[in-house]
Amino acid sequence: MKARSDELQIFVCVIECGSISAAAEQVGQTPSAVSRTLSRLEAKLDTTLINRTTRRMDLTEEGKYFFEQAKGILDQMDELEERLSSRQKNPAGRLRINAASPFMLHAIVPHIEEFRRLYPDIQLELNSNDLIIDLLEQSTDIAIRIGTLSDSTLHARSLGCSPLHILASPAYLKRHGTPASVAELAEHALLGFAQNDGLNQWPLRHQHGDRWPIQPAISASSGETVRHLALQGQGIACLSDFMTREDIHTGRLKVLLADANSGYRQPINAVYYRNSQLALRIQCFLDFIQGKLADYASRDFKG
């Protein structure tokens, strides 16, 4: 059986106070309880630490050595607690964040300077992956996921939601015309996704429902690739507001069929493993990025 930290604390306290009775008063125990703790500690170590008589206490050679080591251990524990407390007040340490490239580029990277100014002791590691990753395997603290979640082994925090827009560049519309109805999309080159067929169900109302399935002329695995194809005039795309807001604002992309849009908004969630207490550095980032997404929503426009 190994010595416990509370036993070390009582042993050190007895030596520093000079008597069992004085130590008992300081730790809030009876002298007999303190004496039993010392005896139990000596039994665990199979050695005598203190030679005790009715008048005095003397440390044995083993006791002197153990006292110095125990005091050093307790000092290290105090320092560790102090540093941990400081980290809780001033978030610090490495924070690994994973997100799909479009969200990373358009919703996180533009705000990194401000975040670093607010939390200079957090070391960020930003990783992009357009596929679902294993948080543990990838040593990831937070993963940002767009769309409906299905993994129940993870905690999730909603960061908001993003509208979807049907978009095309002015150059494409000049060459091929602007579709006046959902049905006319069949006459156009449509840009879609290769590895997530759910993203090829556009949020458009029609006589059979409010999701319009498309057959892409060009498919890509990344939303950022689809965005660039749309900017280059290669076709019509359905993309999230968070990655196209600036394109719409500047006129690089035009919103189409707004009246037929069902208003569906993609959920944006931060996921992380279940923990009894969320590290402060994670909490700070989630609060920060949620505020930025709320700012986007408050400045909503149709383009």
Side-chain angles (χ1 to χ4, degrees):
M1 190 181 297
K2 297 180 180 179
R4 303 196 311 261
S5 61
D6 60 330
E7 294 170 335
L8 299 186
Q9 289 172 333
I10 287 177
F11 170 72
V12 169
C13 186
V14 167
I15 304 307
E16 290 181 335
C17 290
S19 70
I20 288 177
S21 58
E25 184 176 350
Q26 182 162 325
V27 299
Q29 296 185 18
T30 63
S32 59
V34 171
S35 182
R36 286 195 299 271
T37 298
L38 291 177
S39 297
R40 185 168 61 249
L41 182 60
E42 290 178 322
K44 287 181 178 181
L45 299 173
D46 194 25
T47 189
T48 300
L49 299 174
I50 305 174
N51 287 321
R52 286 168 273 178
T53 67
T54 55
R55 291 189 174 185
R56 57 183 295 176
M57 295 189 314
D58 291 316
L59 282 172
T60 64
E61 288 301 315
E62 291 80 7
K64 291 177 182 177
Y65 174 78
F66 190 77
F67 172 76
E68 293 301 325
Q69 298 302 314
K71 194 171 187 311
I73 290 171
L74 293 173
D75 288 342
Q76 288 181 356
M77 290 178 65
D78 288 340
E79 182 180 358
L80 179 60
E81 289 183 7
E82 184 176 346
R83 288 188 177 184
L84 184 58
S85 176
S86 176
R87 286 167 69 94
Q88 292 300 316
K89 296 174 184 176
N90 301 295
R94 185 172 300 279
L95 179 61
R96 297 177 175 90
I97 302 166
N98 183 282
S101 300
F103 193 86
M104 183 68 75
L105 291 172
H106 297 281
I108 294 180
V109 170
H111 307 298
I112 290 301
E113 182 178 357
E114 181 181 352
F115 183 81
R116 293 283 296 124
R117 187 169 63 251
L118 293 171
Y119 306 106
D121 295 326
I122 295 179
Q123 294 87 50
L124 290 171
E125 183 178 308
L126 306 177
N127 298 304
S128 296
N129 194 315
D130 292 309
L131 303 176
I132 298 298
I133 65 160
D134 184 300
L135 272 66
L136 185 61
E137 183 179 330
Q138 299 293 327
S139 300
T140 295
D141 296 305
I142 304 170
I144 309 296
R145 292 184 179 170
I146 313 298
T148 304
L149 295 175
S150 59
D151 193 340
S152 61
T153 66
L154 300 171
H155 268 320
R157 171 171 166 176
S158 173
L159 299 179
C161 53
S162 180
L164 290 169
H165 302 301
I166 311 304
L167 303 161
S169 70
Y172 175 88
L173 298 174
K174 184 177 180 179
R175 290 196 306 271
H176 302 283
T178 301
S181 67
V182 175
E184 286 185 19
L185 288 174
E187 303 170 11
H188 289 266
L190 305 182
L191 308 174
F193 290 82
Q195 296 174 333
N196 187 342
D197 196 54
L199 295 177
N200 294 327
Q201 303 283 325
W202 291 7
L204 294 170
R205 292 189 301 269
H206 54 96
Q207 61 180 347
H208 300 297
D210 58 6
R211 305 286 286 178
W212 182 264
I214 68 154
Q215 185 64 43
I218 306 176
S219 299
S221 60
S222 167
E224 190 62 18
T225 301
V226 173
R227 171 178 169 266
H228 278 275
L229 287 168
L231 288 169
Q232 295 298 317
Q234 295 302 308
I236 299 174
C238 177
L239 294 169
S240 294
D241 180 82
F242 70 78
M243 65 184 296
T244 57
R245 173 170 289 266
E246 190 63 23
D247 296 325
I248 297 169
H249 182 71
T250 59
R252 290 191 296 265
L253 291 175
K254 297 293 184 182
V255 176
L256 308 178
L257 303 172
D259 291 339
N261 195 306
S262 68
Y264 169 77
R265 292 171 174 258
Q266 282 185 314
I268 302 173
N269 290 283
V271 296
Y272 45 90
Y273 275 108
R274 297 183 183 275
N275 292 310
S276 58
Q277 185 174 3
L278 198 60
L280 188 59
R281 65 185 184 279
I282 297 177
Q283 186 72 49
C284 287
F285 178 81
L286 294 180
D287 290 344
F288 176 83
I289 203 65
Q290 185 174 30
K292 294 304 177 184
L293 291 174
D295 287 345
Y296 286 145
S298 67
R299 300 196 304 268
D300 193 24
F301 58 83
K302 290 189 175 181

